[in-house]
Amino acid sequence: MDTFSNEDHDIEKYDRADALKVFDETKTGVKGLVDAGVTKIPRIFIRPPDELVEELNCSKVDLQIPVIDLTGSDIGDRRKEIVEQIRVASETWGFFQVINHEIPKSLLDETIDCIRMFHEQENEIKMKLYSRDRMHKVRFDSNLDLYRSRAANWRDTLTLSMFISDDLDPEEVPAVCRETMLEYIKHVTKFGGTLLELLSEALGLRPDHLQNLECCHGRTFVGQYYPPCPEPELTLGASKHTDPSFLTLLLQDHIGGLQVRYHDQWADVPPLTGGLVVNIGDLLQIASNDKFKSVDHRVLANHKGPRVSTVCFFTGVAVPPKIYGPIKELTLKSDGNPPVYKDFLKMVCLPETPMTPITQWTEDDKRKVVKARAAICNALPYDLLSLNLLINQIRKMDTFSNEDHDIEKYDRADALKVFDETKTAANWRDSLTLAMFISDDLDPEEVPAVCRHDHIGGLQVRYHDQWADVPPLTGSLVVNIGDLLQIASNDKFKSVDHRVLANHNGPRVSAVCFFTGVAVPPKIYGPIKELTLKSDGNPPVYKDFLVSEYMNNFFTRPIDKSGLDYFKL
């Protein structure tokens, strides 16, 4: 498909994969469509029929989220009153607005203006920053989950990421918003600490408790731009979601459109002059042991616009790995409050994990869930919160049967639920894993005492487009080059496809060791410099990367793509 057009609604001509690629390759985002004069939104933005039908039956409540005046928040009785208001809002709504805070209104206005100016620059300037690579600290994109979402959102985004470290080079921040955004980041970071103190007290803890957990350390700032939409009833500015953060702080302009889910209805969050919207994220709901609530919210598309907002996500420490979980003081069994959640590592998040209901998953979604489960078992750096939600959805069926081959009766979604619950696997194989991916600290007492060798065979290697057997040899070991060494050797060594056949004989038993390099603390790998001398006609074939970045890509790539493709220059 060459171009978007006002005939994009024509179902007969529609190829979603092509349409997504066309949109992505423009690198101009949704604003580029509006600038081109579209009068109908492309089909990639149209919500699925079930969502549109649900919207018709959905009611909106005429309620307003709590507004908390922070005046006098450092004064005795007044502080207690504010803490109580925050407690009630966090336990019921999960959202509240604050006014008379410590950030100057002039800076808030300048921040909205500078985000608008960035998005309204010449396309050539923005396109230089366009990327889907989450390792880029400064990037411009439209719909980071574009290729996996059910429908694209009517929104473009500038991201300034301090998710892993505070080391944000000012020169990387676009010049049009550099001075203002750096000042805003400084003020919001400080104010985030103030909010965490108040939230700590609202939980009945010392004021510094959440600060000591370093909840404020990882931060991501996004500047959102929602252009006017010709058919706002068919799409959304931001789909329903909760935030993978401890705390989220939102500055919005005067347009409005943010809605919060409250008692199964949508409530508007109207803009307040000088106000900031605060919401509880998933991580704080876990830390509070369900005392505070992380709730669904969304942004409507609008004929008016553009709508401009700036969001800061406080995400905690990702590197080096830090264990988070329910706060011990809030989980005393003697008080009838046992832990609701287990502890977990807050690590580098994998992008684009499917979060739609299982009944709406595509075959590709299901394959990704299977790989996601395998990733947990192997202790790879995955977003465990999202994965736990996924895995919980595939654990609800009763039994397998020998009639599973019956196509008329076959329900793949049900079958996926079954194999996870019965501890079987998608391939005809079960696995015992001893993981030293992050550290060499493997307790010998945890290793099962029994192991054995095998003679069955079944391993095959792809060679010149044909499959070649790798027969077992007594006392021997099979060695193969992995993707990371192919990259390091700059394609001198080869990482090739291989597989294992199922067999009437058996069981077949094998033991595999993967040498994966350093993941924590982050270490940069890439083609070895001595092998990439341009003077010898050997320029680098691949870009540098982090091991965690490679693993993230490996477990989310399309099934027909190589793990190497993403890193080629």
Side-chain angles (χ1 to χ4, degrees):
M1 181 185 287
D2 296 325
T3 58
F4 283 108
S5 75
N6 289 328
E7 273 128 41
D8 198 36
H9 291 203
D10 188 335
I11 295 176
E12 292 183 6
K13 299 179 181 179
Y14 180 62
D15 184 318
R16 181 172 176 80
D18 282 348
L20 290 170
K21 184 178 180 183
V22 169
F23 172 72
D24 194 23
E25 289 181 349
T26 67
K27 299 185 178 182
T28 59
V30 176
K31 186 176 183 298
L33 297 176
V34 174
D35 291 344
V38 295
T39 58
K40 291 182 178 294
I41 65 173
R43 282 186 58 83
I44 62 171
F45 293 92
I46 297 178
R47 298 168 67 187
D50 59 302
E51 286 190 20
L52 294 175
V53 171
E54 181 184 349
E55 196 70 41
L56 294 175
N57 300 321
C58 184
S59 59
K60 190 182 74 172
V61 292
D62 190 19
L63 294 173
Q64 184 172 316
I65 71 169
V67 178
I68 300 174
D69 187 342
L70 296 184
T71 301
S73 61
D74 56 349
I75 301 173
D77 290 342
R78 174 57 185 154
R79 184 178 182 88
K80 291 179 182 178
E81 181 182 342
I82 291 171
V83 166
E84 177 62 12
Q85 291 175 351
I86 288 176
R87 182 191 66 77
V88 172
S90 300
E91 290 180 359
T92 55
W93 281 85
F95 266 76
F96 54 92
Q97 296 204 68
V98 292
I99 58 174
N100 295 319
H101 46 76
E102 57 197 51
I103 303 178
K105 182 180 179 302
S106 59
L107 179 58
L108 302 182
D109 294 340
E110 290 169 9
T111 300
I112 290 293
D113 288 342
C114 82
I115 294 299
R116 180 183 292 107
M117 287 189 289
F118 168 81
H119 285 283
E120 294 178 355
Q121 292 180 105
E122 295 295 325
N123 286 332
E124 290 73 15
I125 299 175
K126 294 186 294 182
M127 288 167 68
K128 293 177 182 178
L129 292 174
Y130 192 89
S131 175
R132 298 199 170 278
D133 187 345
R134 291 192 178 185
M135 301 307 292
H136 289 188
K137 290 191 171 184
V138 179
R139 63 180 182 274
F140 166 62
D141 67 71
S142 184
N143 290 264
L144 193 57
D145 62 348
L146 180 68
Y147 292 99
R148 291 175 172 84
S149 62
R150 300 184 71 204
N153 289 154
W154 200 257
R155 178 188 75 242
D156 298 330
T157 304
L158 168 67
T159 298
L160 308 179
S161 176
M162 291 180 283
F163 178 79
I164 293 177
S165 77
D166 289 345
D167 185 21
L168 179 65
D169 183 354
E171 294 303 313
E172 292 187 29
V173 181
V176 71
C177 58
R178 181 179 302 149
E179 182 178 351
T180 300
M181 281 307 301
L182 293 176
E183 187 68 14
Y184 183 73
I185 288 171
K186 182 175 69 176
H187 277 78
V188 167
T189 300
K190 181 174 181 291
F191 182 52
T194 299
L195 286 172
L196 286 174
E197 289 180 358
L198 293 169
L199 288 162
S200 291
E201 292 182 48
L203 289 169
L205 304 169
R206 291 171 52 89
D208 60 358
H209 196 106
L210 292 175
Q211 285 273 52
N212 289 341
L213 293 178
E214 301 179 294
C215 301
C216 224
H217 277 222
R219 286 153 293 146
T220 299
F221 290 81
V222 295
Q224 310 280 35
Y225 187 90
Y226 304 82
C229 181
E231 297 178 296
E233 69 281 0
L234 296 180
T235 190
L236 287 170
S239 299
K240 179 179 72 173
H241 65 285
T242 59
D243 291 344
S245 62
F246 282 98
L247 190 65
T248 302
L249 196 60
L250 165 73
L251 167 64
Q252 58 177 338
D253 69 4
H254 63 286
I255 297 293
L258 175 63
Q259 292 187 326
V260 173
R261 197 71 171 165
Y262 183 72
H263 291 177
D264 294 324
Q265 295 176 305
W266 289 108
D268 289 328
V269 183
L272 293 179
T273 301
L276 293 169
V277 180
V278 180
N279 69 277
I280 305 301
D282 292 349
L283 302 184
L284 189 50
Q285 176 166 333
I286 291 174
S288 71
N289 205 42
D290 271 355
K291 188 173 179 67
F292 290 169
K293 303 301 180 186
S294 175
V295 300
D296 283 324
H297 49 286
R298 67 181 186 179
V299 177
L300 300 179
N302 204 315
H303 280 298
K304 302 175 185 177
R307 177 184 186 266
V308 179
S309 67
T310 302
V311 188
C312 175
F313 302 98
F314 293 96
T315 52
V317 176
V319 177
K322 181 179 177 68
I323 295 176
Y324 288 103
I327 294 170
K328 301 300 181 262
E329 290 83 347
L330 303 178
T331 57
L332 300 177
K333 293 183 180 179
S334 58
D335 295 340
N337 296 309
V340 179
Y341 303 95
K342 61 183 179 181
D343 291 346
F344 60 93
L345 290 176
K346 179 67 183 72
M347 302 179 74
V348 179
C349 293
L350 272 174
E352 304 181 354
T353 311
M355 293 302 291
T356 51
I358 192 169
T359 55
Q360 299 161 5
W361 286 0
T362 65
E363 292 300 305
D364 189 46
D365 289 337
K366 296 165 189 173
R367 284 191 292 271
K368 283 181 284 190
V369 172
V370 174
K371 287 186 176 290
R373 182 179 183 276
I376 292 179
C377 295
N378 285 285
L380 296 180
Y382 232 98
D383 181 351
L384 300 188
L385 291 176
S386 297
L387 290 176
N388 284 338
L389 292 174
L390 286 170
I391 298 308
N392 285 340
Q393 293 187 76
I394 62 174
R395 287 183 173 170
K396 293 179 182 173
M397 190 166 171
D398 297 326
T399 58
F400 277 119
S401 78
N402 289 325
E403 295 166 3
D404 198 38
H405 289 195
D406 187 331
I407 294 176
E408 291 184 4
K409 298 179 181 179
Y410 180 62
D411 185 318
R412 181 168 174 81
D414 285 345
L416 280 170
K417 300 178 198 174
V418 174
F419 82 68
D420 184 63
E421 198 163 75
T422 58
K423 308 302 183 287
T424 63
N427 286 321
W428 203 256
R429 177 189 78 234
D430 299 328
S431 299
L432 164 68
T433 300
L434 309 179
M436 293 181 284
F437 180 80
I438 294 175
S439 78
D440 290 343
D441 185 21
L442 179 64
D443 184 351
E445 295 302 316
E446 294 184 17
V447 181
V450 178
C451 65
R452 56 188 170 131
H453 299 282
D454 188 78
H455 61 285
I456 297 294
L459 175 63
Q460 293 187 328
V461 175
R462 198 70 169 166
Y463 182 73
H464 291 180
D465 293 326
Q466 294 179 305
W467 289 107
D469 289 330
V470 182
L473 295 178
T474 301
S476 71
L477 296 170
V478 178
V479 180
N480 69 276
I481 305 301
D483 289 353
L484 303 186
L485 187 51
Q486 177 166 336
I487 292 174
S489 71
N490 204 42
D491 271 355
K492 188 172 180 67
F493 291 167
K494 302 300 180 185
S495 173
V496 299
D497 284 329
H498 48 284
R499 68 182 185 181
V500 177
L501 300 180
N503 203 314
H504 282 294
N505 301 328
R508 176 186 187 268
V509 179
S510 66
V512 186
C513 176
F514 301 97
F515 294 93
T516 51
V518 177
V520 177
K523 181 178 176 66
I524 294 175
Y525 290 97
I528 295 169
K529 300 300 181 261
E530 292 83 346
L531 303 179
T532 56
L533 300 176
K534 292 183 180 180
S535 58
D536 295 341
N538 296 311
V541 180
Y542 302 94
K543 62 183 179 180
D544 292 344
F545 60 93
L546 299 175
V547 169
S548 58
E549 181 185 9
Y550 170 82
M551 293 299 180
N552 289 351
N553 175 72
F554 182 87
F555 282 99
T556 56
R557 76 192 195 285
I559 197 69
D560 59 341
K561 296 292 185 182
S562 164
L564 298 166
D565 291 343
Y566 178 79
F567 299 96
K568 284 190 174 179
L569 294 171

mmCIF file of all heavy atoms in Angstrom, residues 491-523:
data_model
loop_
_atom_site.group_PDB
_atom_site.id
_atom_site.type_symbol
_atom_site.label_atom_id
_atom_site.label_comp_id
_atom_site.label_asym_id
_atom_site.label_seq_id
_atom_site.Cartn_x
_atom_site.Cartn_y
_atom_site.Cartn_z
ATOM 1 N N ASP A 491 29.838 -11.064 11.649
ATOM 2 C CA ASP A 491 29.372 -12.030 10.646
ATOM 3 C C ASP A 491 30.445 -13.005 10.171
ATOM 4 O O ASP A 491 30.213 -13.774 9.235
ATOM 5 C CB ASP A 491 28.754 -11.333 9.426
ATOM 6 C CG ASP A 491 27.261 -11.082 9.607
ATOM 7 O OD1 ASP A 491 26.710 -11.525 10.629
ATOM 8 O OD2 ASP A 491 26.649 -10.446 8.739
ATOM 9 N N LYS A 492 31.624 -12.998 10.817
ATOM 10 C CA LYS A 492 32.656 -13.964 10.434
ATOM 11 C C LYS A 492 32.231 -15.368 10.877
ATOM 12 O O LYS A 492 32.370 -16.353 10.138
ATOM 13 C CB LYS A 492 33.994 -13.584 11.054
ATOM 14 C CG LYS A 492 35.185 -14.418 10.556
ATOM 15 C CD LYS A 492 36.497 -13.842 11.084
ATOM 16 C CE LYS A 492 37.693 -14.634 10.606
ATOM 17 N NZ LYS A 492 37.892 -14.526 9.140
ATOM 18 N N PHE A 493 31.721 -15.501 12.108
ATOM 19 C CA PHE A 493 31.146 -16.742 12.596
ATOM 20 C C PHE A 493 29.632 -16.695 12.390
ATOM 21 O O PHE A 493 29.035 -15.614 12.378
ATOM 22 C CB PHE A 493 31.461 -16.953 14.074
ATOM 23 C CG PHE A 493 32.919 -17.229 14.368
ATOM 24 C CD1 PHE A 493 33.386 -17.172 15.672
ATOM 25 C CD2 PHE A 493 33.810 -17.538 13.349
ATOM 26 C CE1 PHE A 493 34.712 -17.427 15.957
ATOM 27 C CE2 PHE A 493 35.146 -17.791 13.619
ATOM 28 C CZ PHE A 493 35.601 -17.733 14.927
ATOM 29 N N LYS A 494 29.014 -17.862 12.274
ATOM 30 C CA LYS A 494 27.597 -17.919 11.924
ATOM 31 C C LYS A 494 26.756 -18.571 13.016
ATOM 32 O O LYS A 494 27.098 -19.639 13.525
ATOM 33 C CB LYS A 494 27.399 -18.705 10.617
ATOM 34 C CG LYS A 494 28.156 -18.138 9.421
ATOM 35 C CD LYS A 494 27.741 -16.708 9.105
ATOM 36 C CE LYS A 494 28.502 -16.171 7.902
ATOM 37 N NZ LYS A 494 28.199 -14.725 7.665
ATOM 38 N N SER A 495 25.664 -17.931 13.353
ATOM 39 C CA SER A 495 24.639 -18.494 14.235
ATOM 40 C C SER A 495 23.526 -18.998 13.332
ATOM 41 O O SER A 495 22.910 -18.223 12.604
ATOM 42 C CB SER A 495 24.115 -17.422 15.188
ATOM 43 O OG SER A 495 23.033 -17.882 15.943
ATOM 44 N N VAL A 496 23.266 -20.309 13.352
ATOM 45 C CA VAL A 496 22.351 -20.885 12.367
ATOM 46 C C VAL A 496 21.121 -21.510 13.032
ATOM 47 O O VAL A 496 21.142 -21.879 14.209
ATOM 48 C CB VAL A 496 23.071 -21.957 11.506
ATOM 49 C CG1 VAL A 496 24.231 -21.333 10.755
ATOM 50 C CG2 VAL A 496 23.546 -23.122 12.369
ATOM 51 N N ASP A 497 20.068 -21.637 12.247
ATOM 52 C CA ASP A 497 18.840 -22.272 12.725
ATOM 53 C C ASP A 497 19.086 -23.736 13.065
ATOM 54 O O ASP A 497 19.850 -24.435 12.378
ATOM 55 C CB ASP A 497 17.751 -22.199 11.648
ATOM 56 C CG ASP A 497 17.134 -20.823 11.541
ATOM 57 O OD1 ASP A 497 17.065 -20.137 12.566
ATOM 58 O OD2 ASP A 497 16.720 -20.439 10.429
ATOM 59 N N HIS A 498 18.439 -24.195 14.108
ATOM 60 C CA HIS A 498 18.476 -25.605 14.458
ATOM 61 C C HIS A 498 17.170 -25.955 15.156
ATOM 62 O O HIS A 498 16.409 -25.081 15.564
ATOM 63 C CB HIS A 498 19.689 -25.943 15.336
ATOM 64 C CG HIS A 498 19.896 -25.021 16.497
ATOM 65 N ND1 HIS A 498 20.419 -23.754 16.365
ATOM 66 C CD2 HIS A 498 19.645 -25.171 17.822
ATOM 67 C CE1 HIS A 498 20.496 -23.173 17.546
ATOM 68 N NE2 HIS A 498 20.020 -24.016 18.452
ATOM 69 N N ARG A 499 16.925 -27.231 15.270
ATOM 70 C CA ARG A 499 15.653 -27.678 15.844
ATOM 71 C C ARG A 499 15.847 -29.090 16.408
ATOM 72 O O ARG A 499 16.879 -29.731 16.189
ATOM 73 C CB ARG A 499 14.557 -27.688 14.777
ATOM 74 C CG ARG A 499 14.767 -28.751 13.694
ATOM 75 C CD ARG A 499 13.694 -28.704 12.621
ATOM 76 N NE ARG A 499 13.849 -29.801 11.651
ATOM 77 C CZ ARG A 499 13.052 -29.987 10.605
ATOM 78 N NH1 ARG A 499 12.037 -29.153 10.383
ATOM 79 N NH2 ARG A 499 13.253 -30.996 9.780
ATOM 80 N N VAL A 500 14.839 -29.583 17.126
ATOM 81 C CA VAL A 500 14.846 -30.960 17.626
ATOM 82 C C VAL A 500 13.541 -31.633 17.197
ATOM 83 O O VAL A 500 12.448 -31.097 17.441
ATOM 84 C CB VAL A 500 14.992 -31.015 19.160
ATOM 85 C CG1 VAL A 500 14.914 -32.456 19.648
ATOM 86 C CG2 VAL A 500 16.305 -30.378 19.599
ATOM 87 N N LEU A 501 13.666 -32.781 16.559
ATOM 88 C CA LEU A 501 12.493 -33.534 16.128
ATOM 89 C C LEU A 501 11.850 -34.251 17.315
ATOM 90 O O LEU A 501 12.539 -34.707 18.229
ATOM 91 C CB LEU A 501 12.889 -34.572 15.075
ATOM 92 C CG LEU A 501 13.519 -34.044 13.780
ATOM 93 C CD1 LEU A 501 13.845 -35.208 12.855
ATOM 94 C CD2 LEU A 501 12.595 -33.043 13.083
ATOM 95 N N ALA A 502 10.535 -34.350 17.287
ATOM 96 C CA ALA A 502 9.845 -35.253 18.206
ATOM 97 C C ALA A 502 10.061 -36.685 17.706
ATOM 98 O O ALA A 502 10.395 -36.901 16.540
ATOM 99 C CB ALA A 502 8.365 -34.917 18.262
ATOM 100 N N ASN A 503 9.879 -37.671 18.589
ATOM 101 C CA ASN A 503 10.291 -39.030 18.235
ATOM 102 C C ASN A 503 9.429 -40.056 18.955
ATOM 103 O O ASN A 503 9.026 -39.860 20.104
ATOM 104 C CB ASN A 503 11.769 -39.222 18.621
ATOM 105 C CG ASN A 503 12.446 -40.323 17.835
ATOM 106 O OD1 ASN A 503 11.904 -41.406 17.675
ATOM 107 N ND2 ASN A 503 13.653 -40.038 17.367
ATOM 108 N N HIS A 504 9.141 -41.196 18.254
ATOM 109 C CA HIS A 504 8.445 -42.302 18.921
ATOM 110 C C HIS A 504 9.337 -42.904 20.007
ATOM 111 O O HIS A 504 8.857 -43.380 21.028
ATOM 112 C CB HIS A 504 8.079 -43.403 17.905
ATOM 113 C CG HIS A 504 6.885 -43.066 17.082
ATOM 114 N ND1 HIS A 504 5.622 -42.935 17.615
ATOM 115 C CD2 HIS A 504 6.756 -42.818 15.758
ATOM 116 C CE1 HIS A 504 4.760 -42.636 16.656
ATOM 117 N NE2 HIS A 504 5.417 -42.553 15.513
ATOM 118 N N ASN A 505 10.658 -42.923 19.761
ATOM 119 C CA ASN A 505 11.594 -43.412 20.770
ATOM 120 C C ASN A 505 11.704 -42.390 21.886
ATOM 121 O O ASN A 505 11.392 -41.220 21.717
ATOM 122 C CB ASN A 505 12.975 -43.642 20.144
ATOM 123 C CG ASN A 505 12.945 -44.642 19.001
ATOM 124 O OD1 ASN A 505 12.147 -45.560 19.029
ATOM 125 N ND2 ASN A 505 13.813 -44.451 18.024
ATOM 126 N N GLY A 506 12.234 -42.805 23.006
ATOM 127 C CA GLY A 506 12.449 -41.780 24.008
ATOM 128 C C GLY A 506 12.158 -42.271 25.408
ATOM 129 O O GLY A 506 11.866 -43.446 25.615
ATOM 130 N N PRO A 507 12.243 -41.358 26.364
ATOM 131 C CA PRO A 507 12.441 -39.929 26.173
ATOM 132 C C PRO A 507 13.865 -39.568 25.728
ATOM 133 O O PRO A 507 14.802 -40.304 26.008
ATOM 134 C CB PRO A 507 12.182 -39.359 27.570
ATOM 135 C CG PRO A 507 12.609 -40.463 28.484
ATOM 136 C CD PRO A 507 12.179 -41.728 27.793
ATOM 137 N N ARG A 508 13.983 -38.447 24.996
ATOM 138 C CA ARG A 508 15.294 -37.881 24.674
ATOM 139 C C ARG A 508 15.652 -36.910 25.778
ATOM 140 O O ARG A 508 14.829 -36.117 26.213
ATOM 141 C CB ARG A 508 15.259 -37.149 23.339
ATOM 142 C CG ARG A 508 16.575 -36.456 22.975
ATOM 143 C CD ARG A 508 16.417 -35.634 21.695
ATOM 144 N NE ARG A 508 17.692 -35.101 21.246
ATOM 145 C CZ ARG A 508 18.184 -33.900 21.584
ATOM 146 N NH1 ARG A 508 17.476 -33.125 22.399
ATOM 147 N NH2 ARG A 508 19.339 -33.497 21.131
ATOM 148 N N VAL A 509 16.890 -36.960 26.264
ATOM 149 C CA VAL A 509 17.337 -36.092 27.356
ATOM 150 C C VAL A 509 18.584 -35.350 26.917
ATOM 151 O O VAL A 509 19.469 -35.929 26.285
ATOM 152 C CB VAL A 509 17.630 -36.914 28.634
ATOM 153 C CG1 VAL A 509 18.115 -36.003 29.755
ATOM 154 C CG2 VAL A 509 16.391 -37.681 29.069
ATOM 155 N N SER A 510 18.676 -34.071 27.216
ATOM 156 C CA SER A 510 19.876 -33.299 26.892
ATOM 157 C C SER A 510 20.089 -32.231 27.948
ATOM 158 O O SER A 510 19.175 -31.885 28.710
ATOM 159 C CB SER A 510 19.743 -32.636 25.516
ATOM 160 O OG SER A 510 18.713 -31.658 25.530
ATOM 161 N N ALA A 511 21.308 -31.710 28.007
ATOM 162 C CA ALA A 511 21.647 -30.598 28.904
ATOM 163 C C ALA A 511 22.321 -29.525 28.064
ATOM 164 O O ALA A 511 23.266 -29.800 27.320
ATOM 165 C CB ALA A 511 22.579 -31.067 30.013
ATOM 166 N N VAL A 512 21.843 -28.304 28.158
ATOM 167 C CA VAL A 512 22.338 -27.199 27.337
ATOM 168 C C VAL A 512 22.846 -26.086 28.235
ATOM 169 O O VAL A 512 22.215 -25.764 29.254
ATOM 170 C CB VAL A 512 21.215 -26.636 26.425
ATOM 171 C CG1 VAL A 512 21.782 -25.602 25.471
ATOM 172 C CG2 VAL A 512 20.514 -27.751 25.680
ATOM 173 N N CYS A 513 23.959 -25.494 27.865
ATOM 174 C CA CYS A 513 24.471 -24.321 28.571
ATOM 175 C C CYS A 513 24.573 -23.164 27.589
ATOM 176 O O CYS A 513 25.211 -23.286 26.538
ATOM 177 C CB CYS A 513 25.847 -24.596 29.181
ATOM 178 S SG CYS A 513 26.567 -23.127 29.975
ATOM 179 N N PHE A 514 23.934 -22.043 27.920
ATOM 180 C CA PHE A 514 24.003 -20.843 27.101
ATOM 181 C C PHE A 514 24.932 -19.832 27.788
ATOM 182 O O PHE A 514 24.676 -19.428 28.923
ATOM 183 C CB PHE A 514 22.614 -20.207 26.945
ATOM 184 C CG PHE A 514 21.585 -21.112 26.324
ATOM 185 C CD1 PHE A 514 20.699 -21.826 27.117
ATOM 186 C CD2 PHE A 514 21.500 -21.252 24.954
ATOM 187 C CE1 PHE A 514 19.745 -22.664 26.565
ATOM 188 C CE2 PHE A 514 20.548 -22.086 24.382
ATOM 189 C CZ PHE A 514 19.673 -22.792 25.193
ATOM 190 N N PHE A 515 26.000 -19.422 27.118
ATOM 191 C CA PHE A 515 26.873 -18.373 27.631
ATOM 192 C C PHE A 515 26.383 -17.050 27.050
ATOM 193 O O PHE A 515 26.537 -16.789 25.856
ATOM 194 C CB PHE A 515 28.325 -18.634 27.227
ATOM 195 C CG PHE A 515 28.920 -19.866 27.855
ATOM 196 C CD1 PHE A 515 28.887 -21.092 27.206
ATOM 197 C CD2 PHE A 515 29.504 -19.799 29.113
ATOM 198 C CE1 PHE A 515 29.431 -22.234 27.786
ATOM 199 C CE2 PHE A 515 30.046 -20.924 29.707
ATOM 200 C CZ PHE A 515 30.015 -22.150 29.038
ATOM 201 N N THR A 516 25.802 -16.219 27.904
ATOM 202 C CA THR A 516 25.063 -15.050 27.410
ATOM 203 C C THR A 516 25.722 -13.704 27.698
ATOM 204 O O THR A 516 25.178 -12.668 27.329
ATOM 205 C CB THR A 516 23.649 -15.041 28.022
ATOM 206 O OG1 THR A 516 23.750 -15.179 29.442
ATOM 207 C CG2 THR A 516 22.823 -16.175 27.459
ATOM 208 N N GLY A 517 26.879 -13.708 28.365
ATOM 209 C CA GLY A 517 27.524 -12.434 28.655
ATOM 210 C C GLY A 517 26.933 -11.749 29.871
ATOM 211 O O GLY A 517 26.111 -12.308 30.590
ATOM 212 N N VAL A 518 27.350 -10.521 30.081
ATOM 213 C CA VAL A 518 26.963 -9.752 31.273
ATOM 214 C C VAL A 518 25.676 -8.989 31.012
ATOM 215 O O VAL A 518 25.578 -8.214 30.060
ATOM 216 C CB VAL A 518 28.081 -8.761 31.667
ATOM 217 C CG1 VAL A 518 27.635 -7.912 32.853
ATOM 218 C CG2 VAL A 518 29.363 -9.514 31.994
ATOM 219 N N ALA A 519 24.671 -9.216 31.864
ATOM 220 C CA ALA A 519 23.409 -8.471 31.760
ATOM 221 C C ALA A 519 23.313 -7.384 32.821
ATOM 222 O O ALA A 519 22.767 -6.307 32.583
ATOM 223 C CB ALA A 519 22.225 -9.417 31.881
ATOM 224 N N VAL A 520 23.817 -7.663 34.026
ATOM 225 C CA VAL A 520 23.744 -6.719 35.144
ATOM 226 C C VAL A 520 25.092 -6.685 35.843
ATOM 227 O O VAL A 520 25.600 -7.756 36.235
ATOM 228 C CB VAL A 520 22.646 -7.130 36.151
ATOM 229 C CG1 VAL A 520 22.627 -6.178 37.346
ATOM 230 C CG2 VAL A 520 21.279 -7.154 35.464
ATOM 231 N N PRO A 521 25.717 -5.493 36.024
ATOM 232 C CA PRO A 521 25.269 -4.204 35.501
ATOM 233 C C PRO A 521 25.349 -4.171 33.976
ATOM 234 O O PRO A 521 26.069 -4.966 33.378
ATOM 235 C CB PRO A 521 26.248 -3.211 36.134
ATOM 236 C CG PRO A 521 27.479 -4.016 36.373
ATOM 237 C CD PRO A 521 27.008 -5.384 36.753
ATOM 238 N N PRO A 522 24.612 -3.245 33.327
ATOM 239 C CA PRO A 522 24.564 -3.229 31.870
ATOM 240 C C PRO A 522 25.955 -3.138 31.243
ATOM 241 O O PRO A 522 26.801 -2.366 31.697
ATOM 242 C CB PRO A 522 23.743 -1.965 31.571
ATOM 243 C CG PRO A 522 22.931 -1.740 32.781
ATOM 244 C CD PRO A 522 23.776 -2.186 33.936
ATOM 245 N N LYS A 523 26.197 -3.917 30.222
ATOM 246 C CA LYS A 523 27.463 -3.910 29.497
ATOM 247 C C LYS A 523 27.175 -3.844 28.004
ATOM 248 O O LYS A 523 26.315 -4.562 27.504
ATOM 249 C CB LYS A 523 28.275 -5.163 29.818
ATOM 250 C CG LYS A 523 29.639 -5.243 29.122
ATOM 251 C CD LYS A 523 30.386 -6.506 29.541
ATOM 252 C CE LYS A 523 31.699 -6.668 28.787
ATOM 253 N NZ LYS A 523 32.655 -5.595 29.142
#
